[in-house]
Each structure stands twice: as structure tokens, then as C-alpha cells.
Amino acid sequence: MATMEQVAKIANVSVATVSRVLNNPNSVSPDTRQRVQDVIKKLNYEPNLLGRSLRKTETNLILVLLHAIDNPFFSKIIRGIENIAHIYNYDVIVANNYGDRQLGEHYVDFLRSRLVDGVILLSSEFTAEELDRLTANYPVVQTIEYNPDSNAPAITIDYYQASCELMEHLISLGKHNIAFLNANDRPIISTDEKFRAYIDTLNKYQLPIITKSTEIATFGYFTAKDKTNELLKNHPTIDAIFACSDMLACGAIDACLANQLKVPEDVAVVGFDNIAYSEIFKPSITTISHNSFNLGLKSMEVMLQLINGEKLTNHHLILPHKLYIRQSTKQ
Amino acid sequence: MATMEQVAKIANVSVATVSRVLNNPNSVSPDTRQRVQDVIKKLNYEPNLLGRSLRKTETNLILVLLHAIDNPFFSKIIRGIENIAHIYNYDVIVANNYGDRQLGEHYVDFLRSRLVDGVILLSSEFTAEELDRLTANYPVVQTIEYNPDSNAPAITIDYYQASCELMEHLISLGKHNIAFLNANDRPIISTDEKFRAYIDTLNKYQLPIITKSTEIATFGYFTAKDKTNELLKNHPTIDAIFACSDMLACGAIDACLANQLKVPEDVAVVGFDNIAYSEIFKPSITTISHNSFNLGLKSMEVMLQLINGEKLTNHHLILPHKLYIRQSTKQ
DNA sequence: ATGAAAGCGCTAACAG
DNA sequence: CTGTTAGCGCTTTCAT
């Protein structure tokens, strides 16, 4: 591979001039510029980013750390991030940590080892102390999930308010025996907020609390189906289910149907996230949509502020959400 | 941030010794080693990967380039890749190029600019010339999709054979008027092979060819639904549909149902890829599954061979697939 | 076992 | 407008 020095030698200029042609072409006379560019093309020269980054102590790389890439709405968030990033000449790379905290720390070390300029966390394994220590030294923003005990910047939606809307919707349909179905494999703030809204709304209307507490379990359609079967056996009076995600709602609905219960007549079901399937599923699923693309845009905007050393006014940015009423609650 | 030099100064050793403590601890006497490690801990020192990589001309980073991360089976492939990568001390990062060739080239420049040691392409925008030029100089492997005109290494399944199995299955059910439904937004080898199998099998049984050619279009459920509506209008005798992906199959099935056609009695539908949803959809979808995790494992194994300069015996590695028969063809 | 020194490829003063 | 030079942080000979 050609280096700058080789280009310089053949073009009969110094390396500084080659560097200028690359980074500030106008500071070089047209003919030397042309000569250098010709040699660059001939040698197929490509600047070594490691050398450049080492020198400039910046890489123009943003790392997005997430649980696993198969979560459908991550995709749109990342598009939002990239959209802003590309404008400002940053590249976006993604890494999975599968909820593994050690692996998460390993990737976050990319910051300490100067391989990336900033990290956007769509993952949430870190303790408040870790986050605070990290954000004190490096540009880090949390998106969607966040640690409520940390001051680290976060872009998210109002999960409590959104969940209240779902609960009010169910109650407005005359549903009084509402169960709560969660299946997060670790404690996450969104589930806490959803559950808080569940409890508060039931108390507000003095309705029975069927689900007393959340539990840690694995995500997924089949788990949700099993749990709902159990639920229906233990609480035959259930007439609605608040599922923490659309995929769980799918499982819950299929369990109801398998038990000869009509959805939504006998049991209404709501989900969360508005994934593509929620519109395709039969029945289609009432759910909350966050504007993922905007979440991504905002996250990268805040990231740029951090990189540029600007002081943030709001550490928590709450973006709007939207309720979609579909067949799973209303035919 | 602490540098090696600061550690060296405080520990009263040379930078060389600090480096040794990090990379080859046994070559340092126990007490100096201990002293250095204490300072490292105290200063919270983290080696700068840019300096190290620049010096060693290797980064231990593998880039996976893909169309968009929301394709469900990409996730499993990446897990396979990571599985092998982590054993050999490589990290895996992911970038999306959304089928944009220019963006793809930009990311592939990470190789030329020495930011990554290898690239695994789950994307397929490159011409044979580009690929050949690239593979001549850098470790590159294609997974799933590949350019048939290039010698670049590829790990994939036998799309032709798999598609023949689907076709034979439909025909064994007595279906004779089979349409082909594709919706790839660019020419890809998998679609070519599927279509070739479609045509060959129809010819083998002297059945009518309803779909004469493939067309470039955008992926997706709704597109598939629209196209199927059209198809049913133009060819009322259709009794089966070969959809190039499970998501398309969903759209096709819903279009049939909306036209009062029973699936599979009136129209049988097959998909491809065995995404999670194909089992949940009503009716569940007959499809082909490739073992994505294994595809990932193999891809990374080949990548390591390339990095280590080993000569490959097979440039195209074909892994087994599996036919899943479900309700969309057989109740 | 340890240190001195060269150099990976680049950018940015500084000088002219 | 261009060249010289220092140095980003690290690893690795080559001495001792």
C-alpha cells in the first residue's frame, strides 16, 4: 500500500504538500495540486486513518452499542443517527453486547482507547457510577433506555405517560381486570415506568391489581404465550392484557385465541413499540409508537454537542409518542 | 488521559517496560511488573489502540457490512461471526449501507485506510472487478449473497437446490399454476437462483410459466400484497405462489385471504428464510431455513484464514439448508 | 531484565 | 505557496 511519503517523492513535493492537497486543496497551487492528485490516483493511494487519527486525536467514528441488532426499531434509530452523523462527516458503527455487561464495557473501552469519538447507548447495563464516570470524560448519550440514577444525557419518550394512555384506553372500553405482561431479561427503566403507570391507573380507578410485580425473564413470543396461558388459568376473569412489547402482545393474543377467547371482545390486548408486525398481525395490535428516526436524529445532535464541548441544557430529552388504536382493542 | 510515558515516568521504568508488562508480562521481573501494574491502575491508564494499531499495522477489528440491520436473520449470522472472532481476539463492528454502493465503498475504504483487518459482506453491491481487486489486496468474504462473476470467497447455501425443493413440494400437492413473487431492490444472486429453479422445475413438469421474468422493486409486506392482488386479477387460475422471502409470503397470503381465497386450499404459498414471524403468522409459512449461525461461524473462519495468509481450497462454501413445511401449503 | 531509539503514517506549527 | 520538523502513542529491535 502506498504511503504519503511515496506519493510525495514521486510528485516531487514534501509530505506536507500531499497532506494539504488532501485536507485543504486550496492552499496548494493548482499545478502542484494536479501533479499530486495524479500520483495519488496512479498509486491508488488511500490515506491511513490510523496515522491521521493518532495525530488528530479524533477518529470521526461513533459507536452505537445495542443489545442485539434484531430489535426492529433499532434500525430506524440508527438511520436517524447516521443521517446527522454523515452531514458532519462522522461514520457510525454498531456493536452488540447481548445484555452482557462485560462485553458492553469492552466496547465502551473503544472510547478510552480512542478508537471512537463517542458512544450512543441503546443498551443499559451500566450502573449510575459507571455512567457518570464515563460521561465525565467522554461523549456518551443514552437513547430510549436510561439509568434514572445517573446524570448521563438521555433521549427517550415518556414511558409513564404513554402507558397511562394505554391503560386509560383499556378502561374506556369497559375493561376492569387488566393483567400486566413483561419479559425483559434485565431491569430496564421502560418496564419500570410501564408498570408504575399500570399500578397508578388501576389505583386511580380502584380496579383490582392482577399483576403484583414484574419479573425478569427472556423476551419472546413463545414465553408470552406460555405466561398468558398460565395467567388465564389463574385469573379467568381477565378482560385485558397490557403487554410490554408488540411481540409479547402477539403471544398473548394467540394464547387467548387458543383458549377460545375472542380478542378484543373477551380480552383486549395492547402492545408497545409499533413494530412492523403489529400492523400485519391478526388481529392488528393497539400500541404506542415512538418516532424512532427522530430519537436517532436527536441522539446524534446531542452527541455532536458533547463532542464540541457544549454545555447541555437538558440532560433528559423527552420526545413525543403516539397511540395507535387497532383491532386488538377495538374492532 | 494517561499515556504510556506517564506510567513509565511514575513507575520509574522505560516505556518499553510498560509495553512489555502489557503484552508480554513474563518478560518483566515480578517486582517491576507489580510496580508498573500499580501505576497503571492508579492512573486508570488504558492503552491507545490507535498508537498500537498504527505500529502493528493491524487493528483486530472486523467490519460486517450489510444492507440494513433490520433483516432478522442477519442477527444470527453476526452472532456466529462474533463467536469465532472473540476466540481469536477480534472485535466485530457492523455498518449499514442500505444497498447504496457509494456508501458501501466508503465503508470498504476502512480496509484501505487500515481501520479494520477484514470485511465480511452481507451486502452485494460490488461489481466483479471491484471485488476481485479488493480480495487481491485485503481479506474480504461474502456471506449469503455473492457475485457469481468474481472469485471472492463466499459462504452461502444452494439457493437453486433449495428452491427446487420448494417447487417440488408445491407440485407434489397438485399445484400447477405457480406464480413467482420477488421484490429485491437490486439484482441479487439469490433471486436469480430462485427464479432459475422456478423456471427449470416448471419446464421439467411442462407446467405453465406464469411469471416470465423478475423485476426490481422494493421489499416489503405491502408491496407484496399489492402485487399479489394484481396477480390474482390477471391470472385467476393461480393455485400457488413462490415468494422470495417470508415477509413477501405474508403479503401474498393476506392478499389471497382478502380475495376470499383459502390458503392453502385455493392458493398455497411458500416463503424463504424462516424468519421468526413465519412460524407465528396465521397461517404459518412453509419456508427454507439456512443455518444462519453456522454461516456466520464459517464466514469468520474463512476470514481468519485470509488474514493469516492461508490459501483457500474452496472459494465457494455451500452450507446445508432445511425445508419447513407449515400451514401455508399443508394444513 | 531493562533501556534507548527508531519508526508506523499522518498533521500542523513554523519558517521561509 | 511550500518545506522542515516535531510529535500523536505505541511496539520492537538492538544493546547492555
Side-chain angles (χ1 to χ4, degrees), chain A residues 153-167:
Chain A
I155 324 293
T156 183
I157 65 163
D158 189 337
Y159 278 102
Y160 181 78
Q161 173 58 28
S163 304
C164 286
E165 288 171 30
L166 286 171
M167 288 297 292

Side-chain angles (χ1 to χ4, degrees), chain A residues 4 19 45 48 52 55:
Chain A
M4 204 172 234
S19 177
Y45 167 75
N48 180 318
R52 171 182 293 176
R55 175 60 220 240

Side-chain angles (χ1 to χ4, degrees), chain A residues 98-167:
Chain A
Y98 307 109
D100 179 333
R101 186 166 136 197
Q102 218 178 344
L103 194 53
E105 279 177 36
H106 173 70
Y107 282 120
V108 166
D109 278 344
F110 279 11
L111 274 175
R112 301 201 180 91
S113 54
R114 319 265 67 171
L115 208 62
V116 300
D117 292 346
V119 169
I120 296 178
L121 296 172
L122 303 192
S123 197
S124 64
E125 283 72 44
F126 300 102
T127 65
E129 294 72 39
E130 287 172 322
L131 278 171
D132 286 334
R133 187 152 32 86
L134 214 51
T135 48
N137 295 307
Y138 305 100
V140 172
V141 350
Q142 310 169 91
T143 302
I144 300 194
E145 300 293 344
Y146 61 95
N147 188 323
D149 302 324
S150 157
N151 278 322
I155 324 293
T156 183
I157 65 163
D158 189 337
Y159 278 102
Y160 181 78
Q161 173 58 28
S163 304
C164 286
E165 288 171 30
L166 286 171
M167 288 297 292

Side-chain angles (χ1 to χ4, degrees), chain B residues 210-243:
Chain B
I210 291 172
T211 307
K212 315 283 191 215
S213 65
T214 61
E215 48 180 319
I216 304 300
T218 311
F219 269 104
Y221 168 86
F222 292 102
T223 314
K225 201 168 171 179
D226 293 346
K227 283 201 177 179
T228 304
N229 277 325
E230 219 176 290
L231 205 57
L232 294 171
K233 203 166 290 168
N234 297 335
H235 303 271
T237 58
I238 281 176
D239 55 18
I241 297 173
F242 182 129

Side-chain angles (χ1 to χ4, degrees), chain B residues 4 45 48 52 55:
Chain B
M4 206 173 232
Y45 166 74
N48 181 319
R52 171 181 294 176
R55 177 59 221 244

Side-chain angles (χ1 to χ4, degrees), chain B residues 68-321:
Chain B
I69 62 165
D70 54 3
N71 189 325
F73 64 75
F74 282 168
S75 179
K76 284 193 206 149
I77 298 177
I78 290 173
R79 280 190 200 224
I81 293 171
E82 287 172 327
N83 216 275
I84 302 293
H86 288 165
I87 293 174
Y88 292 92
N89 206 25
Y90 281 85
D91 278 315
V92 177
I93 59 176
V94 179
N96 310 281
N97 75 326
Y98 307 110
D100 179 333
R101 185 165 137 199
Q102 217 178 344
L103 195 52
E105 279 177 34
H106 174 69
Y107 282 120
V108 166
D109 278 345
F110 280 11
L111 273 176
R112 301 201 181 91
S113 55
R114 319 264 66 171
L115 208 62
V116 299
D117 291 346
V119 170
I120 296 178
L121 296 172
L122 302 192
S123 198
S124 65
E125 284 71 42
F126 300 102
T127 65
E129 294 73 39
E130 287 172 322
L131 277 172
D132 287 334
R133 188 153 31 85
L134 214 51
T135 48
N137 295 307
Y138 304 100
V140 173
V141 349
Q142 309 170 92
T143 302
I144 299 195
E145 300 292 344
Y146 60 95
N147 188 321
D149 301 325
S150 157
N151 278 323
I155 324 293
T156 184
I157 65 163
D158 189 336
Y159 279 101
Y160 181 78
Q161 173 58 27
S163 304
C164 286
E165 288 171 29
L166 287 170
M167 288 297 292
E168 295 280 353
H169 170 60
L170 289 173
I171 290 168
S172 77
L173 298 168
K175 305 295 186 180
H176 287 172
N177 293 291
I178 308 174
F180 185 87
L181 186 64
N182 84 296
N184 40 294
D185 57 4
R186 60 199 190 287
I188 51 178
I189 186 73
S190 60
T191 300
D192 294 346
E193 292 290 284
K194 288 167 189 168
F195 189 65
R196 196 161 65 84
Y198 168 75
I199 297 290
D200 286 359
T201 311
L202 292 182
N203 283 336
K204 174 179 168 192
Y205 291 97
Q206 307 198 347
L207 294 172
I209 294 171
I210 291 172
T211 307
K212 315 283 191 215
S213 65
T214 61
E215 48 180 319
I216 304 300
T218 311
F219 269 104
Y221 168 86
F222 292 102
T223 314
K225 201 168 171 179
D226 293 346
K227 283 201 177 179
T228 304
N229 277 325
E230 219 176 290
L231 205 57
L232 294 171
K233 203 166 290 168
N234 297 335
H235 303 271
T237 58
I238 281 176
D239 55 18
I241 297 173
F242 182 129
C244 276
S245 80
D246 291 339
M247 210 55 185
L248 297 184
C250 291
I253 290 171
D254 280 353
C256 291
L257 298 176
N259 280 279
Q260 323 298 340
L261 294 168
K262 284 186 178 148
V263 177
E265 294 84 345
D266 299 326
V267 181
V269 178
V270 299
F272 216 106
D273 294 343
N274 194 30
I275 64 176
Y277 200 63
S278 66
E279 200 179 348
I280 297 169
F281 195 76
K282 303 175 191 102
S284 59
I285 297 168
T286 293
T287 189
I288 294 282
S289 168
H290 26 47
N291 187 330
S292 309
F293 187 74
N294 269 345
L295 281 165
L297 291 181
K298 280 289 170 208
S299 301
M300 189 61 205
E301 281 172 9
V302 170
M303 173 56 70
L304 287 171
Q305 290 178 21
L306 291 173
I307 288 176
N308 294 330
E310 294 172 30
K311 196 109 188 134
L312 298 185
T313 46
N314 284 325
H315 278 253
H316 279 203
L317 219 58
I318 309 298
L319 299 193
H321 58 264

